[in-house]
Amino acid sequence: MSENTNKPKKEELFSLKNRKLLSNPMGKDNPITVQVLGICSVLAITVQLKTSLVMAISVLAVMGASNVIISLLRNTIPPRIRIIVQLVVVASLVILVDQVLKAFVYDVSRQLSVFVGLIITNCIIMGRLEAFALSNKPWPSFLDGIGNAAGYGAVLLTVGFFRELLGSGTLFGYQVIPNFLYNIGYVNNGFMILPPMALIVVGVIIWIQRHRNPELVDIS
């Protein structure tokens, strides 16, 4: 038997296993609706769709980059200080993202206020660093970070869509509810711009997801 036959086959970049790293967090492993993580930022910054989009992109950038960096350093990080190293990496990336937002979308940066800085404490990011990036290669870690950030962003945008539409009658700041509806008595729902309504919208999303996929229902 030749030596080539014993050589392990190189895994494709987008093999079935790697594709699941991207797709599962969008559905049955969603960090918000299934793992119930990162709820605080959903309640705080989803009044407008624009802020939801900027936060989703910010988390996507931080999560993808931090997963790759920690994966590259995984064999050199002493276990006892791994949390400190992870925090330093995430904090550095968050500061970089914050400065970019202030430079290019200053108004949105002001609306997001301290919540950009609080990306450092987002338990989804720290959870993926601990659970995946510390024990996997850079490419799967990158896909895992992007997938989980996309799952987080999808929920953020869904909640932001309904809160801005029903609470203000606008999307991305542009009025979409026709004036004739206001003329015949339609009124924006002021409760939608309050944080408790974000929690209710998330609850409805979780109920719909579990209704469509009974496997997610915990009957233990």
Side-chain angles (χ1 to χ4, degrees), residues 46-52 158-177 188 192-193:
T46 52
V47 176
Q48 295 182 348
L49 198 51
K50 187 176 182 180
T51 54
S52 302
T158 303
V159 176
F161 174 84
F162 286 108
R163 290 188 72 192
E164 182 175 355
L165 178 64
L166 301 177
S168 304
T170 60
L171 288 176
F172 288 107
Y174 297 100
Q175 183 176 334
V176 294
I177 302 293
N188 291 328
M192 291 301 293
I193 63 175

Short mmCIF file of all heavy atoms in Angstrom, two decimals, residues 46-52 158-177 188 192-193:
data_model
loop_
_atom_site.label_atom_id
_atom_site.label_comp_id
_atom_site.label_asym_id
_atom_site.label_seq_id
_atom_site.Cartn_x
_atom_site.Cartn_y
_atom_site.Cartn_z
N THR A 46 -32.83 47.57 21.27
CA THR A 46 -33.66 47.17 20.12
C THR A 46 -34.85 48.11 19.90
O THR A 46 -35.80 47.73 19.21
CB THR A 46 -34.17 45.73 20.30
OG1 THR A 46 -34.81 45.60 21.58
CG2 THR A 46 -33.03 44.73 20.21
N VAL A 47 -34.80 49.31 20.46
CA VAL A 47 -35.90 50.25 20.21
C VAL A 47 -35.93 50.65 18.75
O VAL A 47 -36.98 50.85 18.16
CB VAL A 47 -35.74 51.50 21.10
CG1 VAL A 47 -36.82 52.53 20.77
CG2 VAL A 47 -35.83 51.12 22.57
N GLN A 48 -34.75 50.76 18.13
CA GLN A 48 -34.65 51.11 16.72
C GLN A 48 -33.90 50.01 15.96
O GLN A 48 -32.97 49.39 16.49
CB GLN A 48 -33.93 52.45 16.56
CG GLN A 48 -34.69 53.63 17.15
CD GLN A 48 -33.96 54.93 16.91
OE1 GLN A 48 -32.80 54.95 16.51
NE2 GLN A 48 -34.64 56.04 17.16
N LEU A 49 -34.31 49.82 14.72
CA LEU A 49 -33.68 48.79 13.88
C LEU A 49 -32.23 49.15 13.56
O LEU A 49 -31.37 48.28 13.44
CB LEU A 49 -34.49 48.64 12.59
CG LEU A 49 -34.29 47.37 11.76
CD1 LEU A 49 -34.42 46.11 12.62
CD2 LEU A 49 -35.29 47.33 10.61
N LYS A 50 -31.95 50.46 13.44
CA LYS A 50 -30.59 50.89 13.09
C LYS A 50 -29.60 50.52 14.19
O LYS A 50 -28.51 50.00 13.91
CB LYS A 50 -30.58 52.40 12.85
CG LYS A 50 -29.27 52.93 12.31
CD LYS A 50 -29.40 54.43 12.00
CE LYS A 50 -28.11 54.98 11.41
NZ LYS A 50 -28.26 56.44 11.11
N THR A 51 -29.97 50.79 15.44
CA THR A 51 -29.07 50.44 16.54
C THR A 51 -28.93 48.93 16.67
O THR A 51 -27.85 48.43 17.01
CB THR A 51 -29.58 51.04 17.86
OG1 THR A 51 -30.94 50.63 18.08
CG2 THR A 51 -29.52 52.55 17.86
N SER A 52 -30.00 48.20 16.38
CA SER A 52 -29.94 46.73 16.43
C SER A 52 -28.95 46.22 15.39
O SER A 52 -28.15 45.31 15.67
CB SER A 52 -31.32 46.13 16.16
OG SER A 52 -32.27 46.60 17.08
N THR A 158 -34.87 41.01 14.52
CA THR A 158 -36.30 40.69 14.56
C THR A 158 -37.02 41.51 15.63
O THR A 158 -38.08 42.09 15.39
CB THR A 158 -36.49 39.18 14.83
OG1 THR A 158 -35.81 38.43 13.82
CG2 THR A 158 -37.96 38.82 14.82
N VAL A 159 -36.41 41.55 16.82
CA VAL A 159 -37.02 42.32 17.91
C VAL A 159 -37.03 43.81 17.56
O VAL A 159 -38.03 44.51 17.76
CB VAL A 159 -36.25 42.08 19.23
CG1 VAL A 159 -36.83 42.95 20.35
CG2 VAL A 159 -36.32 40.61 19.63
N GLY A 160 -35.91 44.31 17.01
CA GLY A 160 -35.85 45.72 16.63
C GLY A 160 -36.86 46.09 15.57
O GLY A 160 -37.45 47.18 15.60
N PHE A 161 -37.10 45.16 14.63
CA PHE A 161 -38.08 45.41 13.56
C PHE A 161 -39.48 45.64 14.14
O PHE A 161 -40.13 46.64 13.83
CB PHE A 161 -38.10 44.20 12.61
CG PHE A 161 -39.16 44.26 11.56
CD1 PHE A 161 -38.96 44.97 10.39
CD2 PHE A 161 -40.38 43.63 11.75
CE1 PHE A 161 -39.95 45.04 9.41
CE2 PHE A 161 -41.38 43.68 10.79
CZ PHE A 161 -41.15 44.39 9.62
N PHE A 162 -39.93 44.74 14.99
CA PHE A 162 -41.29 44.86 15.52
C PHE A 162 -41.41 46.03 16.51
O PHE A 162 -42.45 46.71 16.55
CB PHE A 162 -41.71 43.54 16.19
CG PHE A 162 -42.01 42.45 15.21
CD1 PHE A 162 -41.16 41.38 15.05
CD2 PHE A 162 -43.16 42.52 14.43
CE1 PHE A 162 -41.43 40.39 14.13
CE2 PHE A 162 -43.45 41.52 13.51
CZ PHE A 162 -42.58 40.46 13.35
N ARG A 163 -40.36 46.28 17.29
CA ARG A 163 -40.45 47.37 18.27
C ARG A 163 -40.50 48.73 17.57
O ARG A 163 -41.29 49.60 17.95
CB ARG A 163 -39.26 47.32 19.23
CG ARG A 163 -39.31 46.14 20.19
CD ARG A 163 -38.22 46.23 21.23
NE ARG A 163 -38.50 47.30 22.20
CZ ARG A 163 -37.62 47.75 23.08
NH1 ARG A 163 -36.40 47.25 23.08
NH2 ARG A 163 -37.95 48.69 23.93
N GLU A 164 -39.67 48.93 16.55
CA GLU A 164 -39.67 50.23 15.88
C GLU A 164 -40.93 50.40 15.02
O GLU A 164 -41.53 51.48 14.99
CB GLU A 164 -38.43 50.40 15.00
CG GLU A 164 -38.40 51.78 14.33
CD GLU A 164 -37.13 52.03 13.54
OE1 GLU A 164 -36.22 51.19 13.57
OE2 GLU A 164 -37.07 53.10 12.89
N LEU A 165 -41.34 49.32 14.34
CA LEU A 165 -42.51 49.40 13.47
C LEU A 165 -43.78 49.71 14.27
O LEU A 165 -44.53 50.63 13.94
CB LEU A 165 -42.69 48.10 12.70
CG LEU A 165 -43.92 48.02 11.78
CD1 LEU A 165 -43.82 49.06 10.67
CD2 LEU A 165 -44.07 46.62 11.21
N LEU A 166 -43.99 48.94 15.33
CA LEU A 166 -45.23 49.10 16.10
C LEU A 166 -45.13 50.23 17.12
O LEU A 166 -46.15 50.81 17.49
CB LEU A 166 -45.58 47.79 16.81
CG LEU A 166 -45.78 46.58 15.89
CD1 LEU A 166 -46.06 45.32 16.69
CD2 LEU A 166 -46.92 46.85 14.91
N GLY A 167 -43.91 50.55 17.57
CA GLY A 167 -43.76 51.59 18.58
C GLY A 167 -43.62 52.99 18.01
O GLY A 167 -44.07 53.96 18.63
N SER A 168 -43.02 53.11 16.81
CA SER A 168 -42.79 54.43 16.23
C SER A 168 -43.36 54.59 14.83
O SER A 168 -43.37 55.69 14.27
CB SER A 168 -41.27 54.72 16.18
OG SER A 168 -40.69 54.60 17.47
N GLY A 169 -43.78 53.48 14.22
CA GLY A 169 -44.31 53.55 12.86
C GLY A 169 -43.24 53.77 11.81
O GLY A 169 -43.55 54.17 10.67
N THR A 170 -42.00 53.50 12.16
CA THR A 170 -40.88 53.72 11.23
C THR A 170 -40.01 52.47 11.14
O THR A 170 -40.10 51.56 11.98
CB THR A 170 -40.00 54.90 11.70
OG1 THR A 170 -39.46 54.60 13.01
CG2 THR A 170 -40.81 56.18 11.79
N LEU A 171 -39.15 52.43 10.13
CA LEU A 171 -38.09 51.42 10.00
C LEU A 171 -36.84 52.14 9.54
O LEU A 171 -36.87 52.88 8.55
CB LEU A 171 -38.48 50.33 9.01
CG LEU A 171 -39.58 49.34 9.45
CD1 LEU A 171 -39.93 48.38 8.33
CD2 LEU A 171 -39.16 48.57 10.70
N PHE A 172 -35.76 51.95 10.27
CA PHE A 172 -34.51 52.68 10.01
C PHE A 172 -34.76 54.20 10.00
O PHE A 172 -34.10 54.94 9.26
CB PHE A 172 -33.86 52.25 8.70
CG PHE A 172 -33.25 50.87 8.75
CD1 PHE A 172 -33.85 49.81 8.10
CD2 PHE A 172 -32.09 50.64 9.48
CE1 PHE A 172 -33.30 48.53 8.16
CE2 PHE A 172 -31.52 49.37 9.53
CZ PHE A 172 -32.13 48.32 8.88
N GLY A 173 -35.73 54.64 10.78
CA GLY A 173 -36.00 56.07 10.90
C GLY A 173 -36.95 56.62 9.86
O GLY A 173 -37.36 57.78 9.95
N TYR A 174 -37.34 55.81 8.88
CA TYR A 174 -38.24 56.26 7.82
C TYR A 174 -39.67 55.80 8.13
O TYR A 174 -39.89 54.62 8.44
CB TYR A 174 -37.80 55.72 6.46
CG TYR A 174 -36.44 56.22 6.02
CD1 TYR A 174 -35.31 55.42 6.18
CD2 TYR A 174 -36.30 57.49 5.47
CE1 TYR A 174 -34.05 55.87 5.79
CE2 TYR A 174 -35.04 57.95 5.09
CZ TYR A 174 -33.93 57.13 5.25
OH TYR A 174 -32.69 57.59 4.89
N GLN A 175 -40.62 56.70 7.97
CA GLN A 175 -42.00 56.36 8.27
C GLN A 175 -42.54 55.36 7.26
O GLN A 175 -42.44 55.57 6.04
CB GLN A 175 -42.87 57.62 8.25
CG GLN A 175 -44.32 57.34 8.62
CD GLN A 175 -45.15 58.61 8.70
OE1 GLN A 175 -44.62 59.68 8.95
NE2 GLN A 175 -46.45 58.48 8.49
N VAL A 176 -43.10 54.26 7.75
CA VAL A 176 -43.66 53.23 6.87
C VAL A 176 -45.16 53.05 7.11
O VAL A 176 -45.85 52.43 6.29
CB VAL A 176 -42.93 51.88 7.05
CG1 VAL A 176 -41.49 51.97 6.60
CG2 VAL A 176 -43.01 51.41 8.50
N ILE A 177 -45.65 53.53 8.24
CA ILE A 177 -47.10 53.49 8.47
C ILE A 177 -47.72 54.67 7.72
O ILE A 177 -47.37 55.82 7.98
CB ILE A 177 -47.44 53.59 9.97
CG1 ILE A 177 -46.77 52.45 10.75
CG2 ILE A 177 -48.96 53.57 10.16
CD1 ILE A 177 -47.30 51.08 10.43
N ASN A 188 -49.50 54.81 17.42
CA ASN A 188 -48.33 53.98 17.71
C ASN A 188 -48.43 53.42 19.13
O ASN A 188 -48.88 54.11 20.05
CB ASN A 188 -47.05 54.81 17.58
CG ASN A 188 -46.76 55.19 16.15
OD1 ASN A 188 -47.09 54.45 15.22
ND2 ASN A 188 -46.15 56.35 15.95
N MET A 192 -44.28 49.48 23.10
CA MET A 192 -43.25 48.76 22.35
C MET A 192 -41.86 49.35 22.52
O MET A 192 -40.86 48.67 22.28
CB MET A 192 -43.61 48.74 20.86
CG MET A 192 -44.83 47.89 20.52
SD MET A 192 -44.66 46.15 21.00
CE MET A 192 -43.37 45.60 19.89
N ILE A 193 -41.77 50.61 22.92
CA ILE A 193 -40.45 51.21 23.08
C ILE A 193 -39.93 51.06 24.51
O ILE A 193 -38.84 51.53 24.84
CB ILE A 193 -40.46 52.71 22.69
CG1 ILE A 193 -41.38 53.51 23.62
CG2 ILE A 193 -40.86 52.89 21.24
CD1 ILE A 193 -41.34 55.00 23.34
#
